[in-house]
Amino acid sequence: MPSRKLFVANWKMNPVSHDEARKLFLASRKVSDKFTKVEVVLCPPAVFLGRLGDLARKSKRLSLGAQDVFWESEGSFTGELSPIMFQDLGARYAIVGHSERRALGETDEVVNRKILACLRAGLQTILCVGEKIRDSEAEYLGFVRGQLQVALNKVLRTDLPSLVIAYEPVWAIGKNSSGAITSRDLHVMSIFLRKTLSEIYDRASAEQVRLLYGGSVSPENVAALVSEGEVDGLLVGRESRKPESLPAIFEALS
Ligand code: PGA
């Protein structure tokens, strides 16, 4: 398993101007420069990626990612942006299948096409999975397994070093720090995800996939989630846009 932990910042549809995005980028980079053991990926709104890409190229450990992509490389798809375009702008990563995209109608099949397109373009691909609710019969486990099985259709063993799985239970996103999953439940889920990947591929291949947790990560809960959750990193929304929260998060990941 890779030794350096991964931190992915999902800025979502924030901030609203390039100036603010630049400020947030520079503040995040300043903190990340102090934590050499953490790999940092910032995912700003796509419109800011070009100019931030020029700044990111100067940094060795910090890179940029897309929040979503289209599944074709080019063509008559008004308003869409392809993985190749993101590559060209300097992005190294792409998030696919975030629950906020799925809430707008994205199916597992669409997620699968996007994953394949990102891998073809040579992007590190972050596949988001996670249940909407937890039931006492643990049917959510089957739900998450199903998301993985469909999303990874035609994804080869040899692609796995470029794949990251972000487990983001929908019920835990956008809450305060006590709304996150417990570190104990995260530990169980991490084992389940690795086991499912081992069933789809094999154990050694499954070990190459980095596993992230996302959902209300904060300076208060981060240490327990990282130390007990058995994850290789975090996908963080709200707190990733607060530079003052980053030291505690990076410290936990170091
Ligand atoms: P949150 O968002 O950290 O604000 O809960 C996480 C996400 O949606 O990726």
Side-chain angles (χ1 to χ4, degrees):
M1 222 175 283
S3 54
R4 240 172 19 146
K5 300 269 195 225
L6 179 62
F7 171 82
V8 182
N10 177 10
W11 291 0
K12 309 192 178 183
M13 202 171 70
N14 308 283
V16 295
S17 73
H18 176 263
D19 264 6
E20 287 171 88
R22 187 171 186 278
K23 274 191 204 124
L24 181 54
F25 175 92
L26 293 174
S28 306
R29 189 175 71 181
K30 198 166 165 202
V31 182
S32 84
D33 280 346
K34 300 196 187 104
F35 292 88
T36 51
K37 290 194 188 132
V38 186
E39 183 185 348
V40 176
V41 180
L42 305 179
C43 302
V47 286
F48 304 136
L49 265 174
R51 284 199 274 171
L52 295 182
D54 294 338
L55 295 173
R57 267 186 264 271
K58 292 184 195 127
S59 174
K60 284 197 190 79
R61 291 183 8 265
L62 184 145
S63 53
L64 293 176
Q67 295 177 12
D68 182 36
V69 299
F70 193 59
W71 60 76
E72 296 286 351
S73 309
E74 59 187 306
S76 304
F77 304 102
T78 303
E80 298 295 350
L81 298 167
S82 86
I84 293 180
M85 293 171 181
F86 285 113
Q87 254 274 3
D88 185 60
L89 280 181
R92 284 193 54 223
Y93 282 80
I95 298 172
V96 175
H98 189 278
S99 60
E100 286 155 16
R101 303 295 321 165
R102 293 179 188 260
L104 295 173
E106 192 162 296
T107 62
D108 288 325
E109 287 74 18
V110 166
V111 171
N112 174 240
R113 293 176 80 174
K114 291 183 173 187
I115 297 274
L116 294 172
C118 285
L119 292 169
R120 272 199 306 277
L123 290 170
Q124 289 284 318
T125 308
I126 304 167
L127 162 62
C128 299
V129 295
E131 75 282 2
K132 290 199 194 79
I133 46 162
R134 284 214 159 185
D135 56 303
S136 48
E137 283 80 44
E139 280 183 19
Y140 62 90
L141 292 174
F143 178 83
V144 173
R145 180 193 280 123
Q147 283 185 319
L148 278 179
Q149 282 167 336
V150 181
L152 296 177
N153 186 24
K154 298 202 180 103
V155 173
L156 307 175
R157 267 191 187 81
T158 48
D159 293 322
L160 295 184
S162 302
L163 186 76
V164 179
I165 299 211
Y167 170 62
E168 295 210 306
V170 183
W171 51 265
I173 292 178
K175 304 277 165 37
N176 58 28
S177 55
S178 60
I181 196 169
T182 63
S183 50
R184 192 195 162 92
D185 285 348
L186 179 57
H187 186 114
V188 172
M189 198 62 186
S190 301
I191 294 170
F192 175 77
L193 291 169
R194 290 245 179 254
K195 181 169 160 278
T196 305
L197 287 171
S198 305
E199 284 161 12
I200 300 175
Y201 299 99
D202 58 72
R203 189 145 170 222
S205 309
E207 288 295 322
Q208 296 176 28
V209 178
R210 284 179 290 177
L211 209 60
L212 311 184
Y213 167 73
S216 302
V217 173
S218 73
E220 290 77 39
N221 61 27
V222 67
L225 288 170
V226 172
S227 64
E228 295 157 31
E230 290 281 323
V231 286
D232 305 306
L234 301 166
L235 175 50
V236 182
R238 186 183 49 212
E239 296 292 327
S240 75
R241 301 196 308 274
K242 296 186 193 160
E244 68 277 14
S245 294
L246 297 179
I249 296 175
F250 292 173
E251 184 68 49
L253 288 170
S254 300

